[in-house]
Amino acid sequence: MKEIISGGEALLRSLKNEGVDTIFGYPGGSIMPVFDAMYDHRDDFHQVVVRHEQGAVHAAQGYARSSGKVGVCIVTSGPGATNTLTGISDAILDSTPVVVIAGQVSSAVLGTDAFQEIDLVGVTQPISKWSYQIRRAEDVAWAVSRAFYIARSGRPGPVVLDFTKNAQVAQIAYEPVTVDYVRSYVPYPKPNMDAIKEAAELINRARRPFALVGQGVELGEAHEELKAFLEKANIPAARTLLGLSALPSDYPLNVGMLGMHGNLSCNVNTNQCDVLIAIGMRFSDRVTGNLATYAKQAKVIHLDIDRVEIDKNVKADIPVIGNCKETLPLITELLQPADHKEWIDSFADYDAVEYEKVIAKALNPGKGPLKMGEVARKVSEASNNSAVLVTDVGQNQMLSCRYFKYTKPHSVLTSGGLGTMGYGLPAAIGATMGVPERTVCVFMGDGGFQMNIQELGTIMEQKSPVKMILLNNNYLGNVRQWQELFFNNRYSCTPMLNADYCMIAKAYGIPSRLVVDRSEIDDAIKEMLETPGAFLLHVAVEEEDNVMPMVPPGASICDMIFE
């Protein structure tokens, strides 16, 4: 005889059936039956109460991207649900598997503007892989399993379940459900062998092949397959922002980072190569610059699991649809060993120019205020280049991503597509729970830190060992940089009057240290890394330091400026 339980209990049993071990959330009236049921599941789930629902989704993202699992958050209706929209939007653009479960008013009063009612399905359909309202307790097990199947399969992304209160309290005979098929949804397209052969033949004829590596390699766990592909034909590879840790920093064929604040050699040689091989990346405008001048000389091979990305921004001569973990080995098998030494050596000439004009000054300024880049490199090296780098958005993001070093996969958690200020702190909390064995370092600016500063309360309660590096330049730095370069130094609304962040950290029981002088930075980083638990390293950095090199808006990707 099947056990009779409530819809809320059925939800939790279904989550457990999906392997969920951590839930981020915030209680409220319309989701109270679920939180009441959670009281009896304290041993089944690590239940993390954040301080704001946006923080719940970002924490679930950090958990998901660091661990490879699906992140889960549970919130109430109305403002609780709408507070998750930024995180859901971030997750769809960065292909992060999260399941957001929100309470909803009872079915009987839907559409009456009941207290804290909002059409969450209507609001989230454009920003999620699937959005569904559960109106009957009998549908809970099916809806949860379908949600997880959609969130984690194919190109990952967010799924939203809108859970009416009557469905939470109704009694049902519970039976687990496993969904592994959805009609018309093909998460893993079968590779087209003709396209595979054409791609291999084109690469075999290439004199200057160039691989652009995106987050799809990380999502597909295709790290070794990528290396085998590159090594067989000796192909240089550059990474996108979200694909930075798809290859170790010291990997011989890794030539740097692409994009607006990427490496000069990678951007220039994008417009010099004869075959461009895009692997699990979407040709973002931050990577391509002006599309009218982007890689017009090259034949383009585009490997992606999502056919929507093919020809969306850059026309592919040979599209290869499928999971790159499957398609890369098929191409590799048909490749002929090659040298390409002269082509690879050409990157070094541009690297020398960038080092002299930018990198040497960023890492070894010698005197004057501390620079963001040197702090990032010092933290990376002090953590044996093996920490998880989490960033907020802005100059702190670009400079820490540029100068951190990576030795392990899944080591960069940053908001790429949406550019969400406030992402860093809660995402770092989630990462400490997704990979508790790793050191998690989050770099933030004074602007982004304050966007979700309330999550210091979550760190305090959960004892999350987040190593926080606050790069404080007393500006909204990235906007100020654009104002300096393109708006005649008119610093409109970008100067920041800041609080005493060490005092704030102290109020939450978090140790901290303020560093102003370069002579203190090494010792302060050592103290941060050796202190058990959380730590706030508050670093006063050069106020008008800029992220260079840079592709100006509307310019060709190879027309980078250095000052």
Side-chain angles (χ1 to χ4, degrees), residues 28-33 76-77 102-105 115-116 163-165 168:
S30 290
I31 198 67
M32 204 171 294
T76 194
S77 64
Q104 182 57 279
V105 301
F115 179 66
Q116 293 191 333
F163 198 6
T164 61
K165 198 166 185 178
Q168 297 174 45

Side-chain angles (χ1 to χ4, degrees), residues 79-90:
T82 58
N83 281 344
T84 68
L85 297 182
T86 296
I88 296 168
S89 302
D90 196 286

Side-chain angles (χ1 to χ4, degrees), residues 215-226:
Q215 190 189 198
V217 171
E218 295 255 63
L219 296 173
E221 297 292 345
H223 306 88
E224 295 307 314
E225 290 80 1
L226 173 64

